[in-house]
Amino acid sequence: MRRRVIALAAVPWLVAGCGAANSAVHGYHRYSDPSVAMEPTIRAGQTFDARPVDHGDYKPKRGDVVVFSMPSWLGGRDAPQVKRVVAIPGDRIACCSRDGRVMLDGAALDEPYLAAGTRESTFGPVSVPAGRLWLMGDNRGSSADSRYHLGDGGQGTVPASAVVGVAVLK
């Protein structure tokens, strides 16, 4: 059983390497997200390309789907994760509006990428500090994202320098 667990933990890295030759021609890296956290945008096990970002060179934009490395979110394991940038430095984010939507700077956020009927959990408000991002999965009920890490030192935010790629979704 131990070998099986280790083998499954290696799947994202193995898939990333398999598509590398094809994606390298275009300057992209290939990844696979084994979780359901980004559904419906990225299905569990689906592979996708990401434009690599040099350490510290990512210019955050709300709505970007990013690949990042945050070992503290995975119990010390260094593996790529995928989430959506929902708030950037200077933003104030909270949940929920009267109709149950995420609030960004006091206004309900339009999130057309969420599945119909998505329920939000209450959090915040959190002010996103300089150099950090608020990341959430599109499948809000199954994503251990910034909301899940509110008790961490950065109030759930992730350093922008942790971003290693921006997904290229078709």
Side-chain angles (χ1 to χ4, degrees):
M1 182 63 167
R2 183 176 169 93
R3 278 191 209 149
R4 178 181 251 168
V5 171
I6 291 170
L8 289 175
V11 168
W13 288 106
L14 292 174
V15 171
C18 290
N22 185 29
S23 296
V25 172
H26 302 289
Y28 299 134
H29 292 246
R30 180 144 296 181
Y31 293 92
S32 176
D33 186 2
S35 77
V36 298
M38 282 302 294
E39 289 186 355
T41 305
I42 299 172
R43 301 264 175 221
Q46 178 181 338
T47 59
F48 63 93
D49 290 331
R51 179 181 44 82
V53 176
D54 289 331
H55 182 77
D57 283 347
Y58 174 60
K59 306 292 186 242
K61 291 188 327 193
R62 283 183 218 97
D64 280 352
V65 174
V66 296
V67 178
F68 66 104
S69 177
M70 192 72 173
S72 65
W73 280 23
L74 295 173
R77 192 169 47 99
D78 190 15
Q81 299 176 68
V82 184
K83 302 287 183 225
R84 186 176 299 274
V85 176
V86 180
I88 60 176
D91 286 346
R92 186 172 169 89
I93 189 160
C95 195
C96 294
S97 67
R98 286 191 181 132
D99 60 350
R101 292 172 32 196
V102 170
M103 302 286 292
L104 183 66
D105 297 330
L109 188 60
D110 182 31
E111 298 184 280
Y113 41 80
L114 298 179
T118 296
R119 294 243 185 241
E120 299 290 350
S121 57
T122 303
F123 67 86
V126 174
S127 294
V128 181
R132 299 189 72 89
L133 308 168
W134 181 268
L135 304 178
M136 296 174 78
D138 290 356
N139 185 354
R140 301 287 162 82
S142 297
S143 180
D145 50 35
S146 287
R147 299 165 301 158
Y148 185 82
H149 295 280
L150 279 167
D152 295 358
Q155 278 194 304
T157 63
V158 172
S161 61
V163 173
V164 297
V166 178
V168 179
L169 303 171
K170 298 168 185 153

